[in-house]
Amino acid sequence: AISDHMRNPDGRILILEFPISKSDSVRPIYRFLIDWSIRRALDQPDKETYYLLDEFARLPHLTLIEELVNAGRSREVHAILGLQSVSQLIDAYGQETSDSILAGLVQQVLMQSNDDPSVSHILNQTGRHRKTEADPEGKERPEPEYAIDEQKVLQMETGEAIVTRVNGFWSRGKVFMLGDQQALQYSVDD
């Protein structure tokens, strides 16, 4: 039973699948279960806990998500959030809370997106540098420029990603997708 697991997880994994088709009727119980679980995990810092919340913006509005993301690491409570777009997060949590959630993520895997808030987030995560150009009168004026061009973000291919860390380091690469022939060529023994 879920209540037994919540009282004593004993290293076991609990998977709650949120049924999108019945979301209106089950939303309150899922919110309660996830928030209650987060509260318990944060109150027991000696037990390392992971939350994998895929399609995060479609889940019920969690009251403890900011605490999980921003304070959880220091208590060995970690969150992995899967989002389709920053716009979905803003729609679900509002701009201020969304900014707080995104700021608390120490590592992000950012993939191609076409909505403006997501593209802006990707550009901001990779950073800006100042480019100096001369105006028509010959005076130099600094102009901010993103490290990655917006068009490159918009044209990223399936599986292409930018991985960022909170310390400002980032790299660009390829994430093998499930079922990708190249990914399947690797053996578990490698």
Side-chain angles (χ1 to χ4, degrees), residues 19-180:
I20 300 292
S21 63
K22 299 176 184 174
S23 64
D24 289 339
S25 60
V26 298
R27 190 174 304 278
I29 190 66
Y30 272 79
R31 177 183 301 116
F32 169 77
L33 290 171
I34 297 169
D35 273 338
W36 191 73
S37 173
I38 292 169
R39 183 175 297 113
R40 264 187 77 75
L42 292 171
D43 288 343
Q44 298 177 19
D46 57 323
K47 290 187 176 183
E48 192 167 26
T49 306
Y50 288 86
Y51 289 86
L52 173 57
L53 303 171
D54 194 19
E55 294 290 344
F56 172 69
R58 295 182 76 180
L59 294 176
H61 190 280
L62 303 176
T63 57
L64 294 176
I65 191 62
E66 284 183 273
E67 191 170 351
L68 170 64
V69 170
N70 293 305
R73 283 187 318 277
S74 65
R75 298 178 186 159
E76 297 298 320
V77 181
H78 312 280
I80 301 169
L81 308 179
L83 292 169
Q84 292 298 316
S85 72
V86 172
S87 294
Q88 284 183 342
L89 185 63
I90 293 168
D91 287 347
Y93 285 89
Q95 186 69 55
E96 189 174 310
T97 301
S98 295
D99 289 346
S100 175
I101 291 169
L102 291 170
L105 301 175
V106 295
Q107 188 168 0
Q108 298 179 34
V109 178
L110 306 165
M111 302 177 96
Q112 190 271 341
S113 186
N114 290 319
D115 72 294
D116 290 338
S118 295
V119 172
S120 293
H121 179 72
I122 292 169
L123 294 174
N124 287 326
Q125 288 299 102
T126 57
R128 298 180 192 191
H129 61 276
R130 288 204 171 280
K131 177 180 169 184
T132 305
E133 294 197 10
D135 65 16
E137 297 170 1
K139 294 181 184 176
E140 287 189 358
R141 59 183 164 92
E143 195 146 316
E145 185 175 276
Y146 289 107
I148 291 183
D149 184 78
E150 182 175 348
Q151 285 304 312
K152 287 183 182 175
V153 172
L154 293 169
Q155 295 170 353
M156 290 170 66
E157 295 177 15
T158 300
E160 192 174 352
I162 297 167
V163 178
T164 66
R165 295 188 50 136
V166 75
N167 59 9
F169 292 110
W170 62 274
S171 65
R172 189 171 172 184
K174 176 94 170 158
V175 176
F176 289 110
M177 307 307 283
L178 187 60
D180 187 331

